[in-house]
Amino acid sequence: MHNHGLGSWMATRRLKTPEKIALVFDDGNELTYSGLAALADRVAAALSRRGIRTGDRVAYLGENSPEFLAALFGAVQIGAVFVPVNTRLASPEIQHVVTDSNARVLIHDPEFGARLDGLSLGIEYLLDASSIDVPDVSVVEGSPEASSASNFPDSPAALDRPAAILYTSGTTGKPKGAVLTHGNLTWAALNAIIDYDIVSTDVALMISPLFHVASLGMGALPIIIKGGTLVLEKRFDPSRALALIQNYGVSMLSGVPTTYQLLCDHPDWATTDVSSMRKLTCGGSAVPSRVLNAYEERGLSFSQGYGMTETAPGATLLAPDRTREKQGSVGVPHFFTDVRIAGEDGREVPTGTVGEIEVSGPNVFAGYYGRPEETAEAFTADGWFRSGDLGYLDDDGVLYISDRLKDMIISGGENIYPAEIENLINDLDGVTGVAVIGIPDDRWGEVPWAVLTVRDGITIDTDQVRAHLDGRLARYKVPAKTVIVDELPRTASGKIRKADLRTRFAPTA
């Protein structure tokens, strides 16, 4: 075996645990590790017959499915670079990802074929993913006559070679492709295995899309290394998720605070057996107290964390036994990762001082594809990744997020960090989502507004929010106005698109 990266994983799993259930999908269908390895072999053979070689990009457009993972492992087996495409993108956005990555092949779920009509993708091959499980790969659209799927080449791949390009969520401007090496993804998976104590008997419910780095890097890949089982869901539905947790004895679940709130607010929550769940991981923002309470009443607790696409994705972790002690924080660095805080001059700042969060470790990405200048700007002179996030470390080395540099509000010369305000508003009864944004103001330059979603039948106005925050925040931090919306715009990873909200509400200020 010459492939020392992800390309060797399927062959190793097939050797070690061929009959172990790797995947559960589509209402009870199962696939063993041997079966998943065979699918990956067929993808590798189909790509190889088309002349795809080491370093070529293979894009994939589709929801969570065996075909997604087969495309990933089939591509990396021959040294190609996997480019997952966010299925929630509009057609022009899909075109950007495919063309920006210079993909030679696009494999897609049949249901997304229509979205590709009329696009100028610049690819050589457009393949239907539904044909992956057919032994005769020649039935794939545009395929030449193919030989046996088991005869794919074993291409050399070192850990420092690119394995995937994942496009950042693009809260401003067009998304950039973060190049993740085989080493980045392997070390990120090891971080997860160590700090979440993942074992081979774990059953992970994948309700978040695999094209998102958190679901892939901290969920699917660690489970596959350990030989656990993935339950694949194409979309998140609280009722279905609760049923799957009970039926399959799900032990691991990842999501954002909204995910967990929708589960515990569902009528089936009280009657569902959730005793198997031992690893609940949450990112995106702090878990509100009322959600923590609902889970603790059932004997469940969270691991909360912080990361991004560029760190593949985990940077820090707050262990369940510190959830209350360090509530509002995102914990300490993962086992093979380091974090520091830098001031505007680039030097480390004292404990308790807000500055830019910088990350170092073998899980930190190689750079942005085709963007050398932006890659250079993303790293310090001594090689630390500049996250663009603001935060501080307490006396115990625990990280607290203050905000994104670009989301910081400057009102009357004072810096306002929206996350601080959002964490407090989240504890107001009836609030299901909150985003604090800066709105232009003739007197102060900017003033904070709170944009909320609330439970049905609940009414919350500006006066209620101000009363809730009175005495807890400086007066200049209290939102000047509160507006209620039906839904907060979010990226595929669950992050709120504040730029969209600023565009929507700024003209009315």
Side-chain angles (χ1 to χ4, degrees), residues 334-357:
H334 276 291
F335 197 87
F336 295 109
T337 306
D338 292 305
V339 169
R340 71 184 184 188
I341 307 297
E344 292 183 5
D345 60 0
R347 297 180 181 178
E348 283 194 70
V349 298
T351 297
T353 304
V354 173
E356 184 174 9
I357 301 165

Side-chain angles (χ1 to χ4, degrees), residues 154-326:
D154 172 27
S155 298
L159 288 176
D160 62 356
R161 297 295 301 168
I165 300 175
L166 276 75
Y167 277 74
T168 58
S169 52
T171 51
T172 59
K174 289 187 176 181
K176 302 187 293 289
V179 179
L180 299 178
T181 66
H182 291 268
N184 293 154
L185 292 169
T186 300
W187 285 104
L190 291 175
N191 273 340
I193 289 168
I194 294 169
D195 288 337
Y196 297 141
D197 196 21
I198 294 173
V199 294
S200 62
T201 54
D202 272 324
V203 178
L205 175 58
M206 309 305 295
I207 53 177
S208 299
L210 289 171
F211 56 70
H212 174 51
V213 69
S215 185
L216 182 65
M218 302 295 281
L221 295 183
I223 287 289
I224 289 171
I225 284 185
K226 290 297 296 185
T229 299
L230 299 171
V231 180
L232 301 179
E233 279 284 274
K234 292 188 175 182
R235 296 167 186 85
F236 172 56
D237 175 82
S239 178
R240 279 183 55 85
L242 288 170
L244 291 168
I245 289 168
Q246 178 171 293
N247 294 343
Y248 290 101
V250 168
S251 61
M252 184 171 174
L253 182 66
S254 300
V256 295
T258 302
T259 304
Y260 290 107
Q261 180 172 317
L262 289 171
L263 288 174
C264 68
D265 283 346
H266 194 276
D268 293 341
W269 170 254
T271 57
T272 299
D273 182 359
V274 295
S275 61
S276 61
M277 291 204 293
R278 290 292 178 265
K279 303 174 181 71
L280 303 179
T281 66
C282 187
S285 61
V287 180
S289 294
R290 65 181 183 280
V291 178
L292 287 176
N293 293 339
Y295 281 77
E296 288 176 352
E297 288 171 0
R298 303 294 305 274
L300 306 176
S301 56
F302 290 91
S303 296
Q304 301 178 61
Y306 162 73
M308 60 214 78
T309 303
E310 290 89 342
T311 57
T316 69
L317 170 76
L318 179 66
D321 60 358
R322 306 189 80 182
T323 296
R324 289 297 186 178
E325 174 197 359
K326 297 293 184 179

